[in-house]
Amino acid sequence: MLFETHTPATPPTADPLAATPTWMTVMDRAGRTCECTGACGSRHGRSGLRCDTRHGQYLKGHRGPVRLAVGQPDLTDREAAALPPADLRAWCPACWRGTDRRRRAARAALAAHRDTADTADTLF
């Protein structure tokens, strides 16, 4: 056939190959929906102040279904892996990137402030 319909290789709600009990617990608690409530910088105004992106959902601008991750953007992977499921949250890629970007900007601003304070102390 010249024009075949494209079907995804995996069903849109497929769990990752490494779906651990922790991942499953967090996803079940979150209803397979991103748990961001604005840490990414968005007010999520359309969905009652919580991101409404669901695991397996197709969104405009994405090549395939959205896959939610479990973690805490302000922690390293190693630190997050040591936490119990109750302390972890489900994140869509856009909210994770937004939260990480804001965290990095805050760290950079703090470092710049420290550098400025150090320079001011040495001037006098």
Side-chain angles (χ1 to χ4, degrees), residues 23-24 62 75 77-78 85 88 93 99 116 121:
W23 188 90
M24 298 297 290
H62 288 267
L75 301 176
D77 291 343
R78 184 178 298 249
L88 298 171
T99 302
T116 303
D121 289 343

Side-chain angles (χ1 to χ4, degrees), residues 33-97:
T33 303
C34 179
E35 293 183 284
C36 179
T37 56
C40 66
S42 172
R43 291 182 297 175
H44 300 299
R46 294 180 311 166
S47 57
L49 304 180
R50 179 179 168 187
C51 180
D52 59 353
T53 301
R54 297 185 51 79
H55 183 73
Q57 177 181 9
Y58 285 86
L59 296 175
K60 183 178 179 180
H62 288 267
R63 293 182 182 204
V66 173
R67 301 293 184 211
L68 299 185
V70 169
Q72 285 293 11
D74 55 338
L75 301 176
T76 66
D77 291 343
R78 184 178 298 249
E79 292 168 333
L83 293 175
D87 293 338
L88 298 171
R89 292 171 47 190
W91 294 88
C92 72
C95 289
W96 182 277
R97 283 189 307 271

